[in-house]
Amino acid sequence: MASYRCKNPDCAYSDTGVCARATEFSDPETECDDLQNGRAQPNDGAPDTRVSIYPSVAALEPAIQDGGSESDARIEPSRFWSGSALGGEEAGEFLWDPRSKLFTIMGGEDRGKTCFLTAFYIQLANGYTAGFPWRFCGSRSLQGFQRLTDPAFDWQGGEKPIVPRSTQSSFRQPSFLHVALKRDGSRHALPTHLILTDMPGEWFDTWIDMGSSGLPDTLEFLPRSDGFLLVIDAPAVLTNREYRKNVSYLLDRLIAFLGLSTSSAAPIAVVLAKYDKIAHQASLPEGDMRRDAKQWGILESRLAALFKRLDELPPNIPWNVFPCAAFSQPGAQPVGVLAPFAFLLEETMRLDSLPPMTIEPEYRGSFFEVFRGDRL
Amino acid sequence: MEPARLLAILGMSDAGKTTYLGRLWLGVHAQIGRLHAAGLPEVLRPLRDVSSYLLQGNYPPRTRRGEVTAFNVPLRWAGAKEALPFTLAFTDYSGEELERIFTQRDAGWTTAWQMRATGSLGLLLFLRPRDILKPTSARLIGPMEAAQWAHVRGEEPVPEPKKPRAAEDPAFLFDAAFAPQSSEELHRRPNPDQAVRPPTAVALVEVLQFLRQERRLLMGEAPDSNHFRVAVVVTCWDAIPRGVQDLGPEPFVKAHFPLLHDFLCSNFNSDGVRVFGLSSTGGDLADPVFLGQYEQIDPELMGNVVYHPTPGGDPISDPDIALPIGWLLEGDDALPGPRTSSP
């Protein structure tokens, strides 16, 4: 018998005459491509020259030179993502994918949006995901998250800034952070891409004052938003009437926007940031009770007007309220930060799910009754 | 020339990559274990240099920044049914290289990295226990979220901050506030009563993302485990407190490198990732007592790897420190125990 060699590393046809894919071929020598392509001259006792699936060392050169240095030839700058934050174009590429979820984080200047975003990443990176059934799968903005996180770990308490502020001077275009998540226990499922906005509060002030015409470019992604995180400074709500008014203006703009965008059913998570500073005075209702202003104790009168507006939203727009403490003290775990994300993800996934079967099959008796002809 | 099988080594600086390579060579040359040298490499000098430090009872010096050494070692995996010789190719480099790629990605990617990404059969991912950064504060708050709120509301007394210890004390790294002590605690994910920790292994995760991108893998897409595996190697395993060692390397990585752990779980099949605890020398060569023992025994007989034969099962120790490489090449067939998968 002539000797053959096979490209399939699991096949021992040349030694045993048994093809690894014997069930597929009646005559492997004529039918199997792996074997035909590897046809060798009859083995005349020459050294084993079976084809390897691996490259030769020579093929690895010039990248690796034995015993010496490796090639440091730089290749293709900008081969990868920048890592810091996604620009509108990069975010847009993700958003073609229906599994991507764009969550817009709204709120005034210095009201805790960036701290909230930073605490979200820290919780993921700490593996503290109790009550958040998602796992980190990757990120195109790890450096961006680290840029926020590193100063936060230097914070020693007090009123000093915890994270770098997102100001109008540093942000001229919308900036986004990205995290890919997989649902717990779904190792083989495709990930959900979370695109989170990181924008200066001044933009939202401009939106309040000028409407969409004031920010024709910077808020153009708003209609694509799958969910909104309205970050409210809880201590300021308690004490500052002007701030409360500004929050209601912002909410009015958002509600008007949602009304214009009739197809939108994007959920809204109202985040009461810095809640640790008033937690000793205010109540802490649970679950859906949080949608009732009366349950918030000292905050009741301050939140009532906001909640009234939210209650007037169409019923297909879910909303809820989440107290949160991103950095209550140095070294402490953030509290309540993941809950609004879990809420938005859950609600947007519900929107993505298939509608229920609306046609009920007519009951004609059990299978056996029909089979026996008992019921017709 | 023998067929080449390229493995990529990833690890931050001082992670023990060079020490492992030196000790590995001593073992394969002496044909201890199942990975045997099939003759001498054409260029022996780098391996000879690295391993001679170990023969003298010293750690090899830290690889200097920018210094890169390529090894092409003719080997034979004696554990395989058909022990065909092959050349194992890998390069040792300064751990700062990874940090450079993370921070200056445009300038950091070279043809050699490209080859590691697309040509390697597997990755040896070195983690050092000292990559675990100490928490910035040992002050704790309530055990569960409700208690946390009660605490910030002033309804529960503030726990007294722990007495700070010297940061250089290695025991600090495994403080009760930081490393759970009981088996049950270690298997659980971190709790709110633990101090917040700076993210660990972020640069490693980023470089893994680059490698996957070069292999044209989508985010979350698991590669065929027969063609691309990841062996996570926790080095200096002997330096970890005995109680934590007893639980094995998998819960250790899960508890202390959660970002990396979740990334690996989300992007690889369960049979494509395996975690090993590694002690290349069997103890600390800087410890005079241990050094005294070390000098009485051939270095190739020192050291061990620890792994879990079954997911979540008890860890076992194996003196063959080439096992992570054997597993990368041969999969679970390389393991002495029954065929299993992890993590």
Side-chain angles (χ1 to χ4, degrees):
Chain A
M1 184 179 92
S3 291
Y4 292 88
R5 56 184 178 182
C6 184
K7 286 197 297 184
N8 183 343
D10 297 327
C11 185
Y13 187 84
S14 57
D15 295 333
T16 63
V18 178
C19 175
R21 298 166 67 188
T23 55
E24 297 173 54
F25 310 117
S26 56
D27 182 5
E29 292 184 16
T30 57
E31 294 174 52
C32 178
D33 286 343
D34 287 348
L35 202 60
Q36 281 180 327
N37 289 344
R39 192 184 295 274
Q41 295 303 314
N43 191 338
D44 56 4
D48 188 352
T49 56
R50 279 173 288 180
V51 171
S52 167
I53 61 169
Y54 307 112
S56 69
V57 169
L60 298 176
E61 292 179 354
I64 297 172
Q65 296 152 14
D66 194 9
S69 64
E70 63 179 8
S71 166
D72 61 353
R74 304 285 184 260
I75 49 175
E76 290 182 45
S78 307
R79 189 179 189 83
F80 302 112
W81 50 97
S82 75
S84 51
L86 275 60
E89 203 169 308
E90 287 172 292
E93 283 173 22
F94 273 108
L95 293 174
W96 280 105
D97 186 339
R99 286 173 292 124
S100 295
K101 303 293 173 198
L102 171 63
F103 292 165
T104 299
I105 303 178
M106 312 176 82
E109 189 182 341
D110 202 19
R111 296 304 176 191
K113 295 187 301 299
T114 310
C115 276
F116 175 65
L117 198 52
T118 307
F120 170 66
Y121 169 68
I122 289 175
Q123 293 272 269
L124 280 183
N126 270 232
Y128 169 45
T129 51
F132 186 74
W134 300 83
R135 282 188 175 206
F136 176 80
C137 175
S139 170
R140 289 289 181 262
S141 51
L142 273 181
Q143 240 183 15
F145 278 119
Q146 282 300 119
R147 181 181 61 83
L148 299 175
T149 304
D150 290 342
F153 280 97
D154 293 333
W155 179 61
Q156 298 295 317
E159 296 302 315
K160 287 185 179 170
I162 302 171
V163 296
R165 280 192 53 214
S166 309
T167 61
Q168 200 157 13
S169 57
S170 54
F171 283 77
R172 299 192 184 281
Q173 291 295 319
S175 170
F176 304 87
L177 293 166
H178 165 258
V179 182
L181 299 169
K182 269 193 184 180
R183 199 178 260 278
D184 258 348
S186 305
R187 187 188 276 267
H188 299 294
L190 291 169
T192 296
H193 296 282
L194 217 57
I195 310 292
L196 305 168
T197 63
D198 179 22
M199 292 185 301
E202 293 101 314
W203 288 7
F204 294 104
D205 289 336
T206 308
W207 194 40
I208 289 170
D209 288 340
M210 312 291 290
S212 299
S213 61
L215 297 163
D217 299 329
T218 47
L219 292 181
E220 64 180 358
F221 61 88
L222 214 57
R224 173 60 179 82
S225 295
D226 296 288
F228 296 93
L229 291 142
L230 180 60
V231 178
I232 299 176
D233 185 330
V237 157
L238 192 61
T239 58
N240 187 332
R241 274 187 291 193
E242 191 180 352
Y243 176 67
R244 281 203 298 276
K245 201 69 190 161
N246 287 342
V247 170
S248 64
Y249 291 147
L250 183 57
L251 189 57
D252 284 346
R253 284 283 184 215
L254 176 60
I255 289 171
F257 165 77
L258 290 171
L260 287 173
S261 175
T262 50
S263 61
S264 173
I268 302 171
V270 178
V271 177
L272 295 177
K274 309 177 190 176
Y275 202 77
D276 51 299
K277 292 185 179 172
I278 60 161
H280 60 287
Q281 309 172 54
S283 303
L284 196 71
E286 292 183 1
D288 280 346
M289 303 281 277
R290 291 176 175 176
R291 292 166 47 128
D292 181 359
K294 292 192 187 79
Q295 304 296 324
W296 288 90
I298 195 170
L299 280 176
E300 178 190 346
S301 60
R302 274 74 165 182
L303 293 175
L306 292 179
F307 286 14
K308 188 167 178 293
R309 285 175 163 78
L310 288 163
D311 274 333
E312 288 167 2
L313 283 169
N316 65 328
I317 300 181
W319 66 275
N320 209 336
V321 187
F322 300 89
C324 131
F327 297 97
S328 59
Q329 54 184 308
Q333 288 281 354
V335 189
V337 167
L338 293 174
F341 289 95
F343 167 74
L344 291 186
L345 279 164
E346 209 56 51
E347 292 298 336
T348 50
M349 292 292 164
R350 202 195 317 276
L351 291 172
D352 287 349
S353 59
L354 292 170
M357 289 282 285
T358 51
I359 303 170
E360 291 286 332
E362 189 183 349
Y363 183 70
R364 291 177 176 272
S366 73
F367 171 80
F368 289 107
E369 286 172 329
V370 173
F371 187 71
R372 289 198 302 267
D374 292 348
R375 295 176 61 159
L376 295 173
Chain B
M1 187 173 284
E2 306 299 348
R5 301 169 92 171
L6 177 67
L7 295 181
I9 297 180
L10 295 187
M12 304 302 284
S13 60
D14 219 10
K17 301 185 293 292
T18 311
T19 304
Y20 178 67
L21 294 178
R23 166 63 184 81
L24 179 74
W25 170 248
L26 291 175
V28 299
H29 185 245
Q31 304 204 334
I32 309 283
R34 283 166 295 164
L35 192 64
H36 297 170
L40 293 178
E42 198 165 314
V43 179
L44 179 64
R45 184 60 183 266
L47 281 172
R48 194 176 165 193
D49 285 349
V50 167
S51 54
S52 71
Y53 285 101
L54 294 172
L55 291 170
Q56 294 164 27
N58 297 313
Y59 289 114
R62 205 170 139 183
T63 308
R64 286 194 301 272
R65 195 176 186 136
E67 184 182 344
V68 179
T69 311
F71 300 94
N72 292 313
V73 190
L75 293 170
R76 189 189 302 272
W77 178 252
K81 287 176 192 164
E82 202 172 10
L84 292 177
F86 61 92
T87 298
L88 190 64
F90 44 78
T91 52
D92 188 23
Y93 55 87
S94 156
E96 283 93 352
E97 180 92 358
L98 286 186
E99 196 62 43
R100 186 170 64 92
I101 290 174
F102 180 56
T103 55
Q104 307 166 32
R105 52 201 64 212
D106 284 356
W109 200 254
T110 61
T111 46
W113 276 102
Q114 179 67 8
M115 183 53 75
R116 281 188 197 108
T118 57
S120 59
L121 279 170
L123 301 177
L124 272 171
L125 199 66
F126 280 74
L127 300 177
R128 55 182 181 180
R130 58 167 285 200
D131 277 333
I132 306 164
L133 304 177
K134 68 182 175 64
T136 52
S137 166
R139 180 175 289 194
L140 304 180
I141 47 181
M144 299 301 291
E145 188 166 327
Q148 272 184 300
W149 280 118
H151 174 65
V152 293
R153 290 164 66 186
E155 293 169 7
E156 285 182 3
V158 179
E160 283 298 311
K162 296 201 166 206
K163 191 180 170 188
R165 291 198 228 160
E168 61 271 16
D169 178 1
F172 183 85
L173 292 177
F174 306 101
D175 191 279
F178 190 49
Q181 296 299 300
S182 73
S183 168
E184 188 190 346
E185 279 179 312
L186 196 50
H187 281 286
R188 206 168 57 200
R189 299 182 75 77
N191 273 326
D193 62 343
Q194 293 177 339
V196 71
R197 301 172 299 179
T200 50
V202 179
L204 273 179
V205 169
E206 186 77 311
V207 174
L208 282 170
Q209 292 195 115
F210 289 169
L211 298 182
R212 289 176 50 83
Q213 167 95 349
E214 290 300 299
R215 293 181 86 99
R216 307 212 180 288
L217 289 165
L218 297 174
M219 207 177 278
E221 177 189 2
D224 181 346
S225 301
N226 289 321
H227 295 113
F228 192 49
R229 299 186 182 99
V230 180
V232 180
V233 179
V234 182
T235 55
C236 306
W237 188 248
D238 55 83
I240 290 172
R242 176 58 63 186
V244 180
Q245 273 190 46
D246 290 345
L247 302 174
E250 277 181 17
F252 182 83
V253 170
K254 186 175 179 180
H256 294 298
F257 297 90
L259 195 75
L260 176 68
H261 178 268
D262 281 3
F263 178 82
L264 293 172
C265 285
S266 301
N267 287 285
F268 293 87
N269 288 322
S270 57
D271 61 350
V273 180
R274 189 168 276 280
V275 184
F276 298 89
L278 166 74
S279 173
S280 291
T281 54
D284 185 0
L285 297 181
D287 174 3
V289 177
F290 175 74
L291 186 61
Q293 299 167 13
Y294 182 85
E295 285 172 339
Q296 304 304 313
I297 304 170
D298 287 337
E300 54 264 33
L301 298 175
M302 302 297 282
N304 67 316
V305 287
V306 176
Y307 68 99
H308 300 262
T310 55
D314 290 336
I316 59 170
S317 174
D318 193 305
D320 187 358
I321 70 152
L323 202 55
I325 290 181
W327 180 79
L328 285 178
L329 298 174
E330 306 290 336
D332 286 354
D333 287 344
L335 302 177
R339 298 179 68 166
T340 53
S341 62
S342 74

